[in-house]
Amino acid sequence: MKVLSIQSAVAYGHVGNSAAVFPLQRIGVEVLPVYTVNFSNHTGYGAWRGPLISPADVSDVLTGIEERGAFPDIDVVLSGYQGGEGIADVILDAVSRVKAANPDAIYACDPVMGNAKSGCFVAPAIPILLRERVVPAADLITPNQFELGFLTGTEPDDLESTLASADAARAMGPSTVLVTSVERPDRPEGTIEMLAVTDAGAWIVRTPKIPMKANGSGDVTAALFTAHFRETRDAASALAKTTSSVFDLLQATFDAGARELQLIEAQEAYAHPRMQFEVTQIR
């Protein structure tokens, strides 16, 4: 499998491509990383250095990849955090060109906007752009519950309303929706769930909620689920593998008392997931 991953990059820590690339490589996926920023560290520190790469320069890199004849072999275009408005046009153009070269290719979009605790942390134009132009072009999206609500103009809360919101998102264009953090009122205390919805059904998995904020964990989740699902077309299996891997990554990070993901230390969790959580079909 070959994945064209258009995301941010940092030298210190693991977010964007700096989080997604290694886990994908560790499960045997060839990754062509294209950077949208090249920062010293993620912006959560409040200070960082390095350039935001212009849309024209990102486009130039993509054209160079195309000129090498790579597009017919690409199975997935993956995108995450979009720092500015112009990059969406570049990504959508790349998706169109890859799909023209390989009609079986899919576009997986992590519509990064924010979360319930922090609210939106992207430029005001980005959520609207994602909702109106980017998500409708995607085959698979991986929003959290907050982002799912914004995209669909709904307020997903319990399982029924979250399923309805996922269906509303699927009606916008994507056939597959992974809701990466479902926090419903009736769940057992200290737990969190993920929900996958496709044409074939809906599946949910519950894990303990590790009490930490881990920048980049959503990028790992989106990358692994996309790759597993693209390989098998089996949402339940992809959900089980991804959940196992990401939980063990977060547990290793928490146990180390680290602020940055222990991405390298946890590598066996990607290559050989323990499959310790039960996935339940709910539709």
Side-chain angles (χ1 to χ4, degrees):
M1 187 187 307
K2 289 189 177 179
V3 174
L4 177 64
S5 184
I6 309 170
Q7 300 196 56
S8 58
V10 294
Y12 178 86
H14 302 289
V15 299
N17 267 334
S18 302
V21 171
F22 178 67
L24 288 174
Q25 291 172 329
R26 195 64 181 81
I27 64 171
V29 174
E30 179 77 28
V31 187
L32 289 72
V34 175
Y35 301 148
T36 55
V37 309
N38 188 15
F39 286 167
S40 55
N41 51 271
H42 69 70
T43 58
Y45 285 95
W48 65 94
R49 295 179 183 270
L52 182 72
I53 299 172
S54 74
D57 286 339
V58 177
S59 180
D60 206 30
V61 171
L62 288 162
T63 298
I65 295 170
E66 184 178 31
E67 288 171 347
R68 300 286 74 75
F71 280 12
D73 297 324
I74 290 171
D75 300 290
V76 177
V77 180
L78 175 65
S79 72
Y81 170 75
Q82 299 189 15
E85 296 176 52
I87 199 66
D89 289 325
V90 174
I91 293 170
L92 291 174
D93 181 58
V95 169
S96 176
R97 285 150 58 190
V98 167
K99 287 192 170 190
N102 178 13
D104 289 332
I106 66 167
Y107 171 38
C109 170
D110 185 6
V112 178
M113 290 181 246
N115 56 59
K117 288 184 179 179
S118 305
C120 274
F121 50 64
V122 297
I126 298 296
I128 297 167
L129 184 66
L130 286 168
R131 183 175 62 199
E132 295 182 355
R133 295 192 53 217
V134 180
V135 165
D139 301 288
L140 187 163
I141 59 171
T142 58
N144 59 35
Q145 203 168 12
F146 171 84
E147 291 160 344
L148 177 66
F150 183 89
L151 288 172
T152 57
T154 61
E155 296 184 4
D157 180 15
D158 58 12
L159 184 57
E160 184 179 356
S161 61
T162 304
L163 273 170
S165 296
D167 286 338
R170 293 173 66 242
M172 296 167 65
S175 58
T176 301
V177 175
L178 175 70
V179 189
T180 57
S181 58
V182 178
E183 300 188 61
R184 47 181 169 141
D186 58 343
R187 75 190 189 281
E189 187 176 353
T191 65
I192 192 167
E193 294 165 313
M194 281 206 292
L195 172 70
V197 185
T198 74
D199 292 339
W203 295 265
I204 198 163
V205 62
R206 177 184 297 154
T207 74
K209 184 175 182 180
I210 299 173
M212 62 176 292
K213 178 185 178 182
N215 294 86
S217 57
D219 302 318
V220 176
T221 301
L224 287 176
F225 180 83
T226 297
H228 288 312
F229 183 68
R230 180 66 178 84
E231 181 180 20
T232 65
R233 310 287 182 168
D234 182 339
S237 170
L239 185 59
K241 289 178 180 177
T242 302
T243 302
S244 175
S245 298
V246 173
F247 180 84
D248 281 352
L249 167 62
L250 291 175
Q251 188 67 61
T253 303
F254 180 74
D255 290 346
R259 177 168 181 174
E260 295 290 346
L261 291 176
Q262 299 295 286
L263 197 78
I264 309 304
E265 293 82 351
Q267 62 182 284
E268 283 302 305
Y270 327 134
H272 304 106
R274 293 190 292 139
M275 307 295 277
Q276 68 271 45
F277 301 111
E278 181 180 359
V279 173
T280 303
Q281 185 166 9
I282 55 174
R283 191 171 71 193

